[in-house]
Amino acid sequence: MASDKEIKRIRNIGIIAHIDAGKTTFTERILYYTGKTHKIGEVHDGQATMDWMPEEQERGITITSAVTTCFWKGKEIHLIDTPGHVDFTIEVERSLRVIDGALGIFCAVGGVEPQSETVWQQADKYRVPKMAFINKMDRLGADFSRVVTELRDRLGANPIVMTIPVGAEDSFQGVFDLVKQKLILWDEATEGREFRELDIPEEHIKTVNEARDQLIEALSEIDDEIMEMYLSEEEIPDKKIHDVVRKACLSLEGVPVFCGSALKNKGVQPVLDAIGRYLPSPLDIPPVKGKKPKTGKEEIRRASVKEPLSALSFKVQMDQGRKMTFVRIYSGVMHSGEEVWNATKEKKEKIARLLRMHANKRERIKEAGAGQIVAVMGLKLAATGDTLCDPEHPIILESIETYQPVISVAVEPKSTQDQEKIETSLSKLSEEDPTFKVKVDEETGQTIISGMGELHLEVLTQRLLREFKVPVRVGKPQVVYRETISEEAEVREKFDREIGGSRQAAAVDVLVMPRKRGQGNVVRSSLGEDILPEGYEEQILETLEQGLESGVLQGFPMIDTEVLLKEAQFEEGLSSEVAFRAAASMALRKACRAAAPVLLEPKMLVEVITPENFMGDVIGDLNARGGKVESIEPRGNVQVIKAIVPLSRMFGYSTALRSATQGRGNFTMVFSHYDPASE
């Protein structure tokens, strides 16, 4: 069992980046150099260890976040390789919720791309200490200093440059380590496993000295002692530099930056050293906070095996029809075969087996302690965001936010006997993925699946065939709209009816008000005490919350709406919970109809990268799609066009862009906000 002393050795790390920045290639090198794998798996060959799903191997992208454990210089590293594609952003969100540190990978040519900004902001939201690796230094157009500037300007990061490249593009050879003041060159014959540390050649001394001065200047702004040593021109010991970089990283005041080329096996080991040296162990982060289920009182749990068990389920995966749940243990110890309390569902669950994961391979273990990330078999009820804890010391940890889907398609089985099978399979897939929703259209009887984008739904329908052996017909993609209100309205509604031979009556007064875009829904009450019997007010508020799930225009969910329960009239002997629920539901719908309801559509932030001579055609096409160009900026020998475009007009855009730019343009698209729908 891990003692508290051993928890200090653990590093829970997420690898985050834009699609194609080289996350999985970098992870493969880590596994190879730490001895976890005996050969390097390449993404372009469909052989990457971490991209184990057939759908990932075919497309050469990461779809599901894979977890692995490896060891480097006495440190136990739990590594999560997350997807870079915006359609799978929930995978990044739930990984960031449970990791202690993150490594952002950036392409030396593409720099800070839209999805890099999104994942960086997600990491900022959870206050995760970060390091950066500027990859692909061997590629045509690689520019290390431009990417460092973008880290500062576009991400608001404070980059602390630890290694600089020797050459770039075809002439990229290795890196200069600014702390050791050495040149590091990797041996190609050993696939980069072996490397040499050499003195800095005469012609490069000036460059290295200038870069080291910038490093010391950056650190002197964080640490007074270094400033004094720097000003009095004293020699600053390496240990002191490492200590201050670690302090800056943990306090989110700085981001250590490294460079190299993962594909060419250069620059990886200094990052592995830095993960152990600068990123936090579970003991370095604040204790996890939760609430006592009965009282709602806040309680903290420290990363210690002596504390009661508390763990968060952050991912559910179907494994040959059986449910596998990934959990991060925050405190205490989890034993194979024991019962735990699912505080979210208020039910006991049994741990059948505990597994240490290596992508889709596994190793059975008897127990796991605070700070570890493991997989559990046997949990029947646990979903993403549920808390598992000691039955004697219950606690509910903060859950994981999920996103609402923006696109939907109708699916139906190819034969009628598959109908029941498709329902079971879809329900298993939606258990795995909180951003994937399934509903049956009451008017047409069609099964409608909704997700985060075309690729998301395409991957899920392929999995239906491959994993669950259910071939399906898929309809055309449809945009998932939202509804809101643009004015205030107040309605008093009285329900008075005979139900089952007895009269039931209740009256409520409901006020609805619009909120700013992106602020979400709020349902609250201003009733005084003793107006209603105990439990009634909660029932009414619950009904009002449910009422916002379908709007009054076309039945789409309502957003950015405030509902206030102002009054409620209780009549002894006549009023019941049923009557109040009915009155509240009717009052809400009438109030929303009177408050100038509006249909909203998802708008996407589209970033198009195109050679300059095709710019006119690209902008013309975006305008024709109802897009609004926000900015145009040069990046090397290409132009980057940013525009806000309605999602409904973006179907089939990749084909249109290819033909407009002779196949040389590419684009990325992330959800931006909801706006009133165009006619």
Side-chain angles (χ1 to χ4, degrees):
M1 182 177 81
S3 68
D4 287 355
K5 200 173 167 187
E6 284 168 355
I7 294 173
K8 207 173 167 51
R9 295 172 39 229
I10 294 174
R11 298 290 179 274
N12 290 311
I13 307 302
I15 297 201
I16 58 172
H18 184 87
I19 191 166
D20 263 355
K23 288 180 307 304
T24 304
T25 303
F26 188 87
T27 308
E28 290 300 318
R29 300 312 182 269
I30 286 184
L31 298 179
Y32 182 58
Y33 300 142
T34 57
K36 195 75 199 178
T37 55
H38 301 298
K39 73 178 185 56
I40 296 175
E42 298 294 12
V43 177
H44 50 262
D45 299 333
Q47 297 295 317
T49 312
M50 300 299 270
D51 286 352
W52 55 271
M53 284 171 78
E55 290 78 12
E56 295 178 310
Q57 291 164 357
E58 282 167 12
R59 291 179 170 79
I61 63 168
T62 305
I63 289 168
T64 180
S65 49
V67 180
T68 191
T69 304
C70 55
F71 297 86
W72 180 258
K73 295 186 178 174
K75 301 288 188 284
E76 179 181 327
I77 303 172
H78 299 266
L79 200 67
I80 303 182
D81 175 25
T82 67
H85 198 287
V86 61
D87 284 15
F88 309 104
T89 193
I90 183 64
E91 290 287 340
V92 186
E93 182 82 26
R94 56 189 177 187
S95 302
L96 285 167
R97 171 69 178 78
V98 297
I99 59 177
D100 302 328
L103 174 65
I105 307 254
F106 298 90
C107 170
V109 184
V112 175
E113 295 170 281
Q115 185 64 3
S116 326
E117 290 187 55
T118 307
V119 297
W120 200 265
Q121 285 158 4
Q122 285 173 307
D124 279 342
K125 180 174 88 181
Y126 290 119
R127 295 195 58 73
V128 174
K130 296 172 286 293
M131 297 193 328
F133 178 74
I134 297 173
N135 193 21
K136 305 193 181 185
M137 280 307 307
D138 58 311
R139 285 267 305 277
L140 190 66
D143 186 338
F144 176 74
S145 54
R146 176 176 57 78
V147 184
V148 172
T149 305
E150 285 184 10
L151 290 176
R152 185 179 286 111
D153 296 346
R154 294 180 63 172
L155 301 179
N158 176 23
I160 301 173
V161 176
M162 306 300 292
T163 63
I164 59 171
V166 184
E169 303 182 343
D170 293 349
S171 64
F172 174 66
Q173 296 168 290
V175 304
F176 290 119
D177 182 324
L178 298 181
V179 182
K180 288 180 181 170
Q181 300 179 74
K182 292 283 185 189
L183 161 63
I184 308 178
L185 296 177
W186 277 266
D187 180 10
E188 288 178 20
T190 63
E191 295 180 303
R193 195 185 295 160
E194 290 177 16
F195 54 89
R196 290 172 296 150
E197 291 186 356
L198 308 169
D199 288 338
I200 291 162
E202 195 72 39
E203 67 271 24
H204 292 294
I205 286 177
K206 186 168 179 270
T207 310
V208 173
N209 283 346
E210 282 171 4
R212 183 178 162 95
D213 279 350
Q214 287 172 354
L215 164 66
I216 302 298
E217 276 172 30
L219 296 180
S220 64
E221 286 174 21
I222 294 161
D223 184 82
D224 293 341
E225 202 179 325
I226 280 201
M227 181 178 274
E228 284 167 25
M229 293 168 90
Y230 178 56
L231 292 174
S232 59
E233 296 185 355
E234 277 181 58
E235 187 62 39
I236 301 167
D238 291 1
K239 185 180 183 310
K240 179 65 184 168
I241 294 176
H242 292 314
D243 289 348
V244 177
V245 174
R246 176 174 169 79
K247 178 178 133 187
C249 187
L250 296 190
S251 63
L252 273 62
E253 288 177 89
V255 175
V257 178
F258 297 81
C259 65
S261 163
L263 190 63
K264 293 285 187 327
N265 310 315
K266 292 173 182 171
V268 177
Q269 290 93 335
V271 179
L272 270 169
D273 289 344
I275 286 172
R277 201 175 263 148
Y278 307 136
L279 287 177
S281 78
L283 298 175
D284 296 315
I285 56 166
V288 70
K289 287 180 184 162
K291 289 198 164 83
K292 298 283 281 178
K294 293 279 188 287
T295 60
K297 196 167 155 252
E298 192 173 271
E299 189 173 293
I300 62 165
R301 293 278 166 91
R302 287 182 180 78
S304 165
V305 293
K306 298 184 180 87
E307 294 254 324
L309 173 69
S310 69
L312 187 77
S313 140
F314 69 95
K315 180 180 161 76
V316 172
Q317 193 173 299
M318 289 303 157
D319 177 61
Q320 296 165 353
R322 294 197 304 276
K323 187 168 157 180
M324 182 156 73
T325 310
F326 288 85
V327 301
R328 158 76 197 257
I329 304 171
Y330 284 99
S331 63
V333 182
M334 195 177 261
H335 299 274
S336 181
E338 76 174 352
E339 282 194 334
V340 292
W341 180 249
N342 181 334
T344 315
K345 300 278 194 305
E346 297 189 345
K347 290 271 194 303
K348 272 195 175 167
E349 299 238 46
K350 180 148 187 188
I351 293 171
R353 289 207 300 282
L354 274 177
L355 307 166
R356 181 180 286 141
M357 295 305 293
H358 176 45
N360 63 333
K361 298 185 176 68
R362 63 208 61 173
E363 174 195 338
R364 282 180 75 160
I365 50 177
K366 289 207 167 84
E367 58 188 20
Q372 291 190 300
I373 292 175
V374 291
V376 179
M377 301 296 285
L379 303 178
K380 293 192 167 59
L381 304 166
T384 299
D386 283 6
T387 301
L388 304 171
C389 57
D390 178 343
E392 302 299 313
H393 302 89
I395 188 171
I396 296 181
L397 304 176
E398 185 194 341
S399 192
I400 293 172
E401 272 184 43
T402 62
Y403 297 84
Q404 290 304 316
V406 293
I407 182 171
S408 62
V409 295
V411 292
E412 57 181 43
K414 287 192 173 170
S415 62
T416 45
Q417 58 261 46
D418 279 338
Q419 184 61 44
E420 196 176 312
K421 206 170 169 189
I422 192 174
E423 284 168 18
T424 316
S425 309
L426 287 173
S427 114
K428 283 184 175 172
L429 287 174
S430 66
E431 235 183 289
E432 271 192 45
D433 183 348
T435 60
F436 174 59
K437 303 276 190 255
V438 184
K439 70 168 191 183
V440 175
D441 188 312
E442 286 172 11
E443 288 175 18
T444 62
Q446 279 182 311
T447 301
I448 309 287
I449 61 172
S450 309
M452 299 302 290
E454 286 180 272
L455 179 64
H456 187 196
L457 295 182
E458 195 185 306
V459 164
L460 287 160
T461 48
Q462 277 192 350
R463 288 185 61 196
L464 278 176
L465 176 60
R466 195 169 254 152
E467 286 173 41
F468 299 98
K469 310 287 184 279
V470 185
V472 289
R473 279 194 283 269
V474 182
K476 279 210 173 81
Q478 305 286 323
V479 173
V480 178
Y481 292 88
R482 294 281 184 274
E483 296 182 22
T484 192
I485 53 173
S486 52
E487 293 172 11
E488 285 190 15
E490 188 174 339
V491 167
R492 183 178 174 77
E493 184 64 40
K494 183 159 180 158
F495 176 86
D496 193 339
R497 209 170 283 176
E498 198 167 288
I499 298 176
S502 64
R503 186 177 154 222
Q504 299 210 14
V508 294
D509 194 323
V510 167
L511 167 68
V512 293
M513 296 164 277
R515 305 186 80 208
K516 277 193 184 146
R517 196 67 65 248
Q519 284 191 333
N521 293 335
V522 168
V523 177
R524 60 192 182 89
S525 163
S526 63
L527 293 185
E529 283 183 28
D530 305 328
I531 300 279
L532 294 173
E534 197 179 330
Y536 275 54
E537 190 174 343
E538 288 80 10
Q539 297 276 354
I540 299 171
L541 292 176
E542 191 182 293
T543 303
L544 294 172
E545 270 174 25
Q546 288 166 353
L548 292 175
E549 286 169 16
S550 69
V552 292
L553 290 171
Q554 293 183 26
F556 291 109
M558 294 198 63
I559 60 169
D560 305 331
T561 302
E562 183 167 351
V563 184
L564 177 65
L565 173 62
K566 285 188 79 175
E567 286 179 36
Q569 189 183 330
F570 180 80
E571 293 181 53
E572 198 64 56
L574 294 178
S575 294
S576 65
E577 282 179 4
V578 174
F580 272 114
R581 278 182 180 271
S585 184
M586 286 152 57
L588 178 65
R589 293 197 80 71
K590 278 189 185 169
C592 289
R593 280 199 194 95
V598 183
L599 189 68
L600 300 171
E601 68 178 343
K603 295 284 172 87
M604 311 304 281
L605 172 62
V606 179
E607 188 171 289
V608 185
I609 299 174
T610 173
E612 192 162 357
N613 47 335
F614 302 116
M615 216 164 72
D617 292 349
V618 170
I619 291 173
D621 181 47
L622 288 170
N623 288 337
R625 292 170 186 270
K628 184 168 150 244
V629 174
E630 303 267 288
S631 68
I632 301 166
E633 57 184 65
R635 185 184 291 168
N637 53 2
V638 294
Q639 295 289 327
V640 180
I641 302 162
K642 286 187 181 176
I644 299 286
V645 193
L647 174 62
S648 57
R649 308 291 293 277
M650 286 301 289
F651 294 129
Y653 181 64
S654 53
T655 312
L657 181 65
R658 271 201 299 272
S659 60
T661 60
Q662 295 172 10
R664 289 166 65 196
N666 59 49
F667 79 103
T668 52
M669 181 166 79
V670 294
F671 171 74
S672 172
H673 62 280
Y674 277 98
D675 250 359
S678 42
E679 288 305 318

